[in-house]
Amino acid sequence: MINNILENIDKYNTWFINNRRELHKIPELDFDLPETTKYITSILTELGVNYKTNIGKSGIIANFYGKDNSITIALRADIDALPILETSDCPYKSQHEGKMHACGHDVHCSILLGVAKILSEIKDDLPCNVRLIFQPAEETTGGALPMIEDGALEGVDAIFGIHVDPFINSGEIGIKYGPMFAASTTFKINILGKSTHGAFPHNGIDAIVTASQVISSIQSIISRNTDARDSAVITFGTINGGTKENIVADEVSLTGIIRTLSQEMRTFIKERVKDMSEFVCKGYGAKAEVLFKDSYNALINHEEYVDIVKKSGIELLGKEKIITRKYSEMGAEDFAYYLEKVPGAFFFLGIRNEDIGAIEPLHNDKFMVDESSIIVGIKMQILNIFNAYEHLKASK
């Protein structure tokens, strides 16, 4: 049966691509997505799909009901864009100046709309319930948690998500067992010294000199306090202080970000950054105020569901088209929060095609995708539904 379903998907390829192009024209940011959500709901209404709006502020969930109501499998797509001015000349380029789908969320959304179309046609043969999650604000403050708080995962047994990858060829997918994306934490260190005339530095406490030692000391946390086999990054992004060339600065502000692949490492590095800042400053007679703001948690795939994605990929594309990543990405992705609540997997969809110039990295003003990848993503998610259902049925 599944082979017949997959074969019948091809005839809608133009429809899938058109959806992506229409979405690409109307990029919107964060939770403010009126045109995007209007387009999504218009398609769902056209297909006769049951859906709810304003989930997690501006998200949408669509529900399909299968033969076995005891199992529900969810698929998620993020739908927001980036504050980037698109410089490509494609006929469907952004109509919203300064905004662009430069991370492929228009592809993710069109894949989920494609899945909705196929499920609406095979509803009598659907083995279980399926929930489609259209999520806002992945690029900014994070839309996953608000959607979860509004019940997007209620009754869900497993979940799958896709992200386009411009470093994987179209027609291939990428998988990663275990940690896939990093947790991120921003920090701010205020170093408080004492101002004085530059001719008499002994009368003051130099916040700039102290800051230089704090920066050097904190960099040693990675090289000397963490296991070389565990990935972590500390980056200083800004340094601000001082008022005039002949005045010893009384205050310097440092900001940066910490990225780790586990909550344990995140906690450890935060403690070391705080201790290092405070004790180095004390040694120079200064004081340190250290502030942290946790962002997304680490995205950790569930291995048995990565196996399911791999199985689906081999069935659809062949074993040679499955790229198994050895290393984790140190970027962040809020699909992590879904995987903390229910088992599942996140995987990469290849969109690279040098012949058409689809070679630019994510978040680039010339970012382009090979649109033949859209149908691959749709078929992968359809296969994931059927294969995950068999796994869940067997384990109950």
Side-chain angles (χ1 to χ4, degrees):
M1 181 181 67
I2 187 63
N3 289 333
N4 290 334
I5 293 171
L6 295 177
E7 288 173 3
N8 287 327
I9 292 175
D10 292 343
K11 63 186 178 184
Y12 298 119
N13 195 38
T14 300
W15 188 84
F16 303 146
I17 290 173
N18 181 67
N19 282 333
R20 184 258 163 169
R21 293 183 177 186
E22 291 301 312
L23 288 163
H24 191 84
K25 292 177 186 177
I26 54 170
E28 296 172 302
L29 308 180
D30 199 33
F31 291 97
D32 187 19
L33 308 166
E35 290 186 51
T36 304
T37 54
K38 182 180 179 180
Y39 187 85
I40 293 168
T41 55
S42 70
I43 297 296
L44 295 176
T45 299
E46 176 187 313
L47 297 174
V49 177
N50 177 287
Y51 64 86
K52 297 179 181 178
T53 59
N54 301 318
I55 307 299
K57 298 182 182 179
S58 53
I60 300 164
I61 59 173
N63 291 299
F64 294 82
Y65 302 99
K67 297 176 182 177
D68 185 348
N69 287 314
S70 70
I71 293 175
T72 299
I73 295 167
L75 308 177
R76 173 271 209 170
D78 37 15
I79 60 176
D80 58 322
L82 288 158
I84 292 175
L85 177 65
E86 183 169 12
T87 60
S88 71
D89 295 321
C90 68
Y92 49 90
K93 70 181 295 184
S94 172
Q95 297 175 354
H96 296 170
E97 187 172 359
K99 301 175 185 178
M100 178 186 175
H101 272 296
C103 200
H105 295 189
D106 52 340
V107 175
H108 305 164
C109 186
S110 64
I111 287 171
L112 217 55
L113 289 174
V115 170
K117 183 168 186 63
I118 302 309
L119 296 186
S120 67
E121 295 197 349
I122 65 166
K123 53 189 175 183
D124 292 338
D125 295 315
L126 193 59
C128 61
N129 297 339
V130 177
R131 180 168 300 159
L132 307 183
I133 299 173
F134 298 87
Q135 180 209 301
E138 191 280 327
E139 296 287 3
T140 52
T141 54
L145 278 177
M147 293 207 71
I148 292 169
E149 290 166 0
D150 274 2
L153 288 182
E154 285 182 8
V156 170
D157 297 285
I159 187 167
F160 295 93
I162 285 178
H163 204 294
V164 298
D165 190 328
F167 298 105
I168 298 177
N169 291 327
S170 182
E172 299 177 343
I173 64 164
I175 60 173
K176 172 69 174 67
Y177 288 90
M180 189 175 190
F181 284 89
S184 65
T185 298
T186 57
F187 62 85
K188 182 176 183 181
I189 305 170
N190 295 319
I191 297 171
L192 308 176
K194 181 182 177 183
S195 182
T196 188
H197 195 290
F200 310 104
H202 58 285
N203 291 330
I205 299 171
D206 196 328
I208 289 178
V209 170
T210 305
S212 69
Q213 298 304 310
V214 168
I215 292 170
S216 296
S217 298
I218 286 176
Q219 290 299 329
S220 72
I221 293 172
I222 300 299
S223 64
R224 290 297 177 265
N225 295 153
T226 63
D227 191 325
R229 296 166 295 182
D230 195 357
S231 296
V233 175
I234 302 175
T235 299
F236 283 93
T238 69
I239 176 170
N240 294 286
T243 56
K244 204 170 187 297
E245 67 275 3
N246 67 337
I247 298 175
V248 171
D250 64 347
E251 185 171 350
V252 170
S253 175
L254 310 172
T255 66
I257 194 165
I258 299 164
R259 296 183 184 274
T260 65
L261 295 178
S262 70
Q263 184 60 39
E264 293 76 17
M265 181 61 75
R266 173 194 254 177
T267 300
F268 170 75
I269 289 184
K270 286 167 64 176
E271 290 172 352
R272 292 297 295 137
V273 167
K274 185 174 187 297
D275 289 347
M276 195 78 79
S277 301
E278 291 176 349
F279 285 115
V280 169
C281 284
K282 185 176 182 180
Y284 281 81
K287 293 182 179 179
E289 298 175 349
V290 185
L291 306 170
F292 297 103
K293 184 178 180 181
D294 288 338
S295 184
Y296 300 162
N297 291 345
L299 189 159
I300 303 175
N301 276 326
H302 297 251
E303 295 201 357
E304 66 269 32
Y305 287 89
V306 180
D307 285 339
I308 289 170
V309 173
K310 184 177 182 179
K311 180 177 187 293
S312 297
I314 291 172
E315 290 175 7
L316 179 64
L317 305 169
K319 188 176 181 180
E320 71 282 359
K321 299 295 186 180
I322 314 304
I323 311 300
T324 302
R325 291 281 183 87
K326 294 182 180 179
Y327 304 108
S328 305
E329 298 281 337
M330 296 310 290
E333 164 60 60
D334 75 347
F335 192 78
Y337 294 110
Y338 297 109
L339 294 180
E340 290 179 346
K341 298 293 184 181
V342 298
F346 198 65
F347 64 100
F348 293 117
L349 177 70
I351 57 166
R352 185 179 184 85
N353 186 334
E354 295 183 9
D355 292 339
I356 64 171
I359 58 173
E360 302 297 341
L362 302 173
H363 295 211
N364 183 282
D365 59 1
K366 294 182 176 62
F367 177 73
M368 184 187 300
V369 306
D370 181 349
E371 292 176 319
S372 68
S373 64
I374 296 171
I375 199 166
V376 175
I378 294 167
K379 290 180 178 181
M380 278 295 302
Q381 292 291 51
I382 295 292
L383 279 165
N384 286 335
I385 292 168
F386 280 81
N387 289 331
Y389 172 70
E390 292 300 322
H391 170 78
L392 286 162
K393 184 176 68 171
S395 61
K396 282 198 172 185

